[in-house]
Amino acid sequence: MTFAIILAATLIAGIGSVWLAAALSLGVLARYTQHLLSLAAGALLATAFMHLLPEAFESGIEPKRLFAVLLIGLVFFFLLDKAELWHHGHEHAHTPIAGDALHRHVCRGAQHSAAHGMAATHLHETSDGGSSGSWAVLAGDSVHCFGDGVLIASAFVADLRLGAVTALAVLAHEVPHHMGDLVVLRQRGGVRSGALLKVSLAGAITAVGGTVGYFLVDRLGSGLPYFLMIASSSFVYVALADLIPQLQQRLSAAQTAVQVGWLLVGIALVTGVSSAVHQQMH
């Protein structure tokens, strides 16, 4: 039963986020993109601090060891970001750029160090317009989605309520990420339907990660608190290093209030889903 729930949740989080991202990127709801970033940041932070971390500490493992895993996870995701940025900087070192055209490429490609939000964009001009960059984006997105699936499975094995809010948080923060992926593929000359299909297939890898994660965590139950700490470090890193910096803009008092409001909505949404699922369980 738990495995079936994990499979359904990973498919919803993985593919559902792609289709929601497509709806947003088509322009119908594009004006809410910044609000979505705020909501995703709030959902991630609430999931990490209100659910994942407390669940890990309830295991009775020495807090110092768990905090060490949390620290290692944060440093690990930071190093993955640096490695990916160095790789792309080296890859495009000899790319001709016309005039003062902006060349900005922020696209992380491993588990939760992947770029979240509209940061995953290519704004550069190349002489050949090849498709290698598109496949690089898809490969990185697939690895990232696999990691999401493992994290969702780990949370569900610990507690159904915890798994539900984790899947919700994954879906929320994947939407702006997939919006960036779709933009990249379209800029590389892909048609709308083809780009959507490719990103949907990458999102489906979340279910593969959930399957592997279920059997891995089921056999290594004693290591579950460490999986939860890694999940926490991933969510905290994504929220603080990827999402919130994009929100640090000089805004009016009214715009700032709206931004903070959506952040609180993300926190409240996670808390509300948690309470609802808890009531259903009892």
Side-chain angles (χ1 to χ4, degrees), residues 48-71 158 162 224-230 232-233:
F49 287 104
M50 303 303 293
H51 299 285
L52 296 177
L53 290 174
E55 184 73 22
F57 282 109
E58 287 178 2
S59 65
I61 296 178
E62 184 182 0
K64 186 175 181 179
R65 294 173 61 183
L66 293 178
F67 275 119
V69 174
L70 179 66
L71 177 60
L162 185 63
L224 180 58
Y226 300 105
F227 279 100
L228 297 177
M229 293 304 291
I230 293 174
S232 298
S233 66

Side-chain angles (χ1 to χ4, degrees), residues 16-18 20-22 24 36 117 170-180:
S17 60
V18 174
L20 184 54
L24 292 169
L36 186 61
V170 167
L171 187 149
H173 83 262
E174 280 299 333
V175 170
H177 175 208
H178 288 314
M179 287 178 66

Side-chain angles (χ1 to χ4, degrees), residues 29-50:
L29 301 174
R31 53 181 165 177
Y32 298 109
T33 299
Q34 287 298 313
H35 300 332
L36 186 61
L37 292 177
S38 298
L39 185 146
L44 286 173
L45 292 175
T47 301
F49 287 104
M50 303 303 293

Side-chain angles (χ1 to χ4, degrees), residues 23-139:
L24 292 169
S25 63
L26 291 178
V28 178
L29 301 174
R31 53 181 165 177
Y32 298 109
T33 299
Q34 287 298 313
H35 300 332
L36 186 61
L37 292 177
S38 298
L39 185 146
L44 286 173
L45 292 175
T47 301
F49 287 104
M50 303 303 293
H51 299 285
L52 296 177
L53 290 174
E55 184 73 22
F57 282 109
E58 287 178 2
S59 65
I61 296 178
E62 184 182 0
K64 186 175 181 179
R65 294 173 61 183
L66 293 178
F67 275 119
V69 174
L70 179 66
L71 177 60
I72 291 172
L74 291 171
V75 174
F76 175 72
F77 292 126
F78 168 74
L79 292 177
L80 282 179
D81 265 353
K82 299 297 288 185
E84 185 66 19
L85 288 172
W86 179 87
H87 168 73
H88 285 293
H90 176 74
E91 182 182 59
H92 297 291
H94 303 289
T95 300
I97 303 178
D100 60 348
L102 178 62
H103 177 217
R104 181 164 62 92
H105 180 188
V106 183
C107 180
R108 289 97 171 163
Q111 291 195 8
H112 284 276
S113 64
H116 296 265
M118 292 305 293
T121 59
H122 288 247
L123 298 178
H124 64 282
E125 298 178 10
T126 62
S127 58
D128 57 1
S131 61
S132 60
S134 300
W135 287 111
V137 168
L138 291 172

Side-chain angles (χ1 to χ4, degrees), residues 214-239:
Y214 171 76
F215 290 106
L216 178 65
V217 174
D218 188 52
R219 296 187 179 186
L220 301 175
S222 60
L224 180 58
Y226 300 105
F227 279 100
L228 297 177
M229 293 304 291
I230 293 174
S232 298
S233 66
S234 174
F235 283 4
V236 171
Y237 180 83
V238 167

